[in-house]
Amino acid sequence: MKRMKKIALAFCTISLCLSACQDGSDLLDPVTTGLTEKDVFASPQYSERFLLDVYRQIIPILAHTDFAGPRWRNLAHLEVATDNGSTIMAGSNNVRMFNSGTMTAASTNMFWYYDWVNCFAAIRAANLFLANIDNVPADPQYNFNENTRKIRKAEGKFLLAFNFAELAKQFGGLPLIKEVATPTDQSMMIPRSSFDETIAYIAQLCDEAAADLPLAHPEIEYGRATKGAALALKARMLLYAASPLWNDSANPTESPFSGKYDANKWQEAAKAAKAVIALGNYSLHPDLATVFLTRENTEVIFARMQDPMSYHSATHIPYTLYNGTGAYGVGGVNQASYNLVKEYEVLKNGVAYSIEDPASGHNPQDPFKNRDPRFYRDFIFNGAKILGKTAEFGNPEPGHNKSGAHNMGYLIDGQAYNTFMYTIKFADPTLNVTWDARNAAGGTRVNQNFPYLRYAEVLLNYAEAMNEAYGPESDALGAGKSALQALNEVRERATYPEGRPEYLGLKGGMPPVASGLSKDQMREKIKHERRVELSFEEHRFWDVRRWKDTPETEIKAQIPIYKKDGTMEYQIKTIDNRYHHERMNRMPIPQSELLANPQLVQNSGW
């Protein structure tokens, strides 16, 4: 915790960048830095901004500058360290190190190092807020009264829970620091609690927060934690706690590395997800194409508020597809593997087929026809339509003079790891980006946020827990839906939106999964649906671990090859061979923290 101690000193002053705002127009004026702790909590205005700064510390998954997220600090998403993705982004040596298994607990360029340091810094800040919020005087000028105080306390508890949850899914049982400690205080030198104790504390914080949080805040405060956010976070973590990695019948002893085995944990996870559903406050956003581009919608439960921006779109859609010459000079930084792409089913006569099923009629040389509607939202591919252009990606054979206007230039020739399937799930393909993303001057921008918690995940969490606890078609909890019904609710939302050229004029959508499946068969359907619906939302990395599944280590791409004779064909090639070891199911506690606190115990294998 040596780094954590250093960062703790910083909280004598305030870095008050507002994060919870309706849009970019209502940012508060920055507060003068250099305030003491006493100054901050003598003022409703300053204390409110202190809390907003704790919100700001949550990692920005949609980067808005070169190094402001995501996990790898270089625009590459966590998914590129799974069998779903790849990246050729310059400076991706940390990704390569992880994928080859050459990192160690002493590595300081891995996401878990930053997450340990930053989450514990945020935990200290949240504890400091909770320790002082009762000292803040009421002030009608800032609408700070006893009800406001109660809500802000609940927000502080949610933020504590969120940061502990982020660490628990990575490391397991944690040192549960529940009070404000000075950097030299020996109370910081505590051992790891068991995994069950850690999850119980997170659930307790969520329950306490949910009791006092509103279902919704006034519009100007959109983005603050709500009752639904607290309950959804609890449901997620109880699902994790019920999963095989943390609830292992072969290792039933409670420890920091696992919980005490209890098959009933699935029931508790199902009840927690049901509680979110029962609020009646959320539903799936009807327009598949704009789920991630609509700042406020009924599906978003908790999101990071961001300024309107083009940066994410400009760095994820291949830049040569934009009009004008001012677009940011990089693109396609997050790519999907063929391992993921083949999971998007083929629709034929109202039936969904695996591309490997001969009945699908799938043609490997015309591979992008009639796919799951989410395919066209999530990817830019060879032949895709965008801004009136047709994307042309691929590798020319030696001697071929192919030089299509939308080929990717330096992103093509001789580049290993390139899949030619660019992930644009959170990008806006309708933006005419003529803007240098680094200075935000002019151009068109999208007013979007990244949803850390959304209703589709809750439904899939519910489906998984219900299936494991009661089977595919039981409504044992009286929620009004079975595991199968919850799964199909997500699945059937995937319809082709009208009037979007990138959907190639297709109509219809995904059919439901049929009834009559066994628990094991349903489990595979749920895993499939999570892989597609939640792709590049930081779920696959943790899902394969909590399930104790071995990820696919041979990473493939479906590469368009322009041949010398003028024809083009798709070839499926291996672009990377990854390393995976059981120890990688849990991240290592940074070596520097073990040295600073001898009571910490390292995860197995590290």
Side-chain angles (χ1 to χ4, degrees):
M1 295 185 183
K2 185 163 56 178
R3 277 288 302 275
M4 191 181 78
K5 293 178 186 176
K6 293 178 181 178
I7 291 176
L9 293 170
F11 285 95
C12 292
T13 60
I14 314 300
S15 171
L16 293 163
C17 298
L18 182 65
S19 60
C21 55
Q22 173 70 15
D23 57 40
S25 66
D26 60 351
L27 294 173
L28 299 179
D29 293 333
V31 180
T32 303
T33 59
L35 299 174
T36 67
E37 179 180 313
K38 183 178 179 180
D39 293 334
V40 170
F41 294 107
S43 162
Q45 183 185 24
Y46 292 167
S47 63
E48 288 269 28
R49 293 183 178 186
F50 185 94
L51 180 63
L52 293 174
D53 193 57
V54 185
Y55 277 100
R56 184 192 61 82
Q57 291 177 65
I58 299 174
I59 187 170
I61 305 304
L62 302 186
H64 52 84
T65 64
D66 281 334
F67 297 103
R71 300 279 178 183
W72 300 109
R73 271 71 182 177
N74 64 1
L75 301 179
H77 283 239
L78 185 60
E79 209 96 343
V80 303
T82 75
D83 46 14
N84 277 1
S86 181
T87 184
I88 60 170
M89 183 67 187
S92 292
N93 289 338
N94 50 356
V95 181
R96 308 278 180 260
M97 185 182 295
F98 183 89
N99 285 339
S100 65
T102 57
M103 70 290 180
T104 70
S107 301
T108 59
N109 61 340
M110 292 290 136
F111 66 86
W112 63 74
Y113 175 82
Y114 297 108
D115 290 350
W116 180 280
V117 170
N118 293 336
C119 284
F120 271 114
I123 285 167
R124 186 186 189 279
N127 277 328
L128 183 62
F129 178 83
L130 291 170
N132 286 278
I133 185 62
D134 284 337
N135 299 328
V136 179
D139 189 333
Q141 179 181 355
Y142 294 103
N143 193 31
F144 191 87
N145 53 37
E146 292 310 308
N147 186 59
T148 308
R149 189 191 315 276
K150 181 178 69 172
I151 293 172
R152 298 297 179 257
K153 278 186 182 179
E155 290 178 65
K157 290 177 181 180
F158 171 81
L159 290 167
L160 264 184
F162 193 95
N163 282 283
F164 274 121
E166 189 63 44
L167 294 170
K169 72 184 184 185
Q170 297 191 38
F171 302 101
L174 301 168
L176 296 177
I177 300 173
K178 301 180 181 181
E179 58 187 22
V180 182
T182 64
T184 57
D185 196 324
Q186 289 301 305
S187 65
M188 292 183 70
M189 303 299 170
I190 61 175
R192 299 172 66 179
S193 295
S194 72
F195 183 74
D196 280 347
E197 288 170 338
T198 300
I199 295 299
Y201 183 53
I202 293 168
Q204 174 192 329
L205 288 169
C206 288
D207 285 339
E208 291 176 2
D212 290 329
L213 286 170
L215 277 174
H217 290 276
E219 189 174 22
I220 193 66
E221 295 186 345
Y222 181 71
R224 291 182 182 271
T226 60
K227 184 184 296 291
L231 295 178
L233 179 62
K234 176 184 175 182
R236 174 191 287 176
M237 295 315 296
L238 291 187
L239 181 80
Y240 275 57
S243 301
L245 178 66
W246 307 110
N247 189 34
D248 187 355
S249 59
N251 296 285
T253 304
E254 184 178 354
S255 73
F257 319 113
S258 187
K260 183 178 180 180
Y261 178 73
D262 184 355
N264 290 326
K265 287 181 177 179
W266 287 114
Q267 295 179 19
E268 295 306 309
K271 291 176 185 176
K274 177 203 169 185
V276 185
I277 295 169
L279 292 175
N281 206 46
Y282 304 105
S283 60
L284 296 176
H285 185 64
D287 183 4
L288 182 75
T290 60
V291 172
F292 301 104
L293 303 177
T294 305
R295 196 168 181 85
E296 296 179 64
N297 66 61
T298 58
E299 188 166 342
V300 174
I301 299 176
F302 180 63
R304 180 186 177 88
M305 299 294 101
Q306 299 192 160
D307 292 343
M309 64 173 182
S310 294
Y311 187 85
H312 186 84
S313 297
T315 55
H316 286 70
I317 294 176
Y319 69 94
T320 50
L321 293 174
Y322 283 124
N323 293 324
T325 59
Y328 193 40
V330 70
V333 298
N334 284 292
Q335 299 172 23
S337 65
Y338 178 71
N339 310 60
L340 170 62
V341 169
K342 65 182 176 60
E343 296 297 315
Y344 288 72
E345 294 164 294
V346 175
L347 294 180
K348 181 181 178 182
N349 299 326
V351 179
Y353 296 93
S354 163
I355 66 170
E356 296 166 342
D357 187 336
S360 70
H362 177 69
N363 180 359
Q365 295 307 321
D366 191 8
F368 308 133
K369 281 189 174 179
N370 303 319
R371 303 292 286 269
D372 181 327
R374 292 168 289 194
F375 179 89
Y376 304 99
R377 177 196 65 195
D378 294 352
F379 309 125
I380 287 285
F381 50 90
N382 188 45
K385 309 294 184 182
I386 175 173
L387 294 172
K389 300 177 181 179
T390 300
E392 292 181 312
F393 306 138
N395 272 337
E397 282 189 341
H400 194 288
N401 62 0
K402 178 69 177 175
S403 58
H406 311 309
N407 276 350
M408 288 299 294
Y410 76 91
L411 292 184
I412 296 181
D413 296 330
Q415 289 284 348
Y417 314 112
N418 193 4
T419 71
F420 299 94
M421 182 68 64
Y422 304 104
T423 303
I424 62 160
K425 186 172 186 176
F426 310 105
D428 187 348
T430 69
L431 287 184
N432 183 11
V433 179
T434 58
W435 160 67
D436 184 335
R438 287 165 291 189
N439 62 33
T444 55
R445 293 180 285 177
V446 61
N447 203 8
Q448 70 184 121
N449 299 314
F450 177 81
Y452 294 107
L453 295 162
R454 66 181 178 102
Y455 191 55
E457 182 205 341
V458 171
L459 289 171
L460 293 174
N461 292 350
Y462 174 83
E464 183 177 349
M466 284 293 290
N467 182 57
E468 298 298 334
Y470 305 107
E473 298 183 53
S474 169
D475 183 20
L477 298 182
K481 63 187 73 188
S482 64
L484 180 64
Q485 289 170 316
L487 176 72
N488 281 333
E489 192 171 335
V490 174
R491 187 174 171 85
E492 292 181 274
R493 187 269 300 274
T495 57
Y496 301 111
E498 295 183 7
R500 299 281 296 225
E502 62 269 30
Y503 286 82
L504 308 178
L506 296 168
K507 298 185 182 300
M510 295 301 291
V513 171
S515 61
L517 299 179
S518 68
K519 179 187 288 189
D520 290 348
Q521 290 171 324
M522 184 65 175
R523 183 183 303 121
E524 294 308 308
K525 291 291 186 182
I526 291 168
K527 287 183 178 182
H528 165 83
E529 201 65 25
R530 287 184 71 91
R531 189 171 187 181
V532 172
E533 175 66 29
L534 304 177
S535 69
F536 280 82
E537 293 182 58
E538 297 208 337
H539 289 280
R540 178 68 177 173
F541 188 93
W542 307 112
D543 279 350
V544 293
R545 286 165 169 76
R546 68 180 178 85
W547 293 329
K548 295 184 72 174
D549 287 352
T550 300
E552 300 161 35
T553 55
E554 185 180 0
I555 306 303
K556 297 182 178 181
Q558 190 170 32
I559 299 177
I561 305 293
Y562 290 91
K563 303 176 75 64
K564 286 186 292 185
D565 63 5
T567 62
M568 190 275 288
E569 70 177 19
Y570 289 95
Q571 297 178 7
I572 297 173
K573 295 185 176 184
T574 298
I575 61 166
D576 197 10
N577 284 291
R578 306 271 175 85
Y579 175 85
H580 183 77
H581 188 278
E582 185 179 3
R583 72 171 181 269
M584 296 166 70
N585 284 340
R586 299 175 182 87
M587 302 302 104
I589 294 176
Q591 188 66 33
S592 58
E593 307 304 319
L594 297 174
L595 294 173
N597 181 3
Q599 295 203 61
L600 293 178
V601 179
Q602 183 59 281
N603 283 328
S604 177
W606 294 100

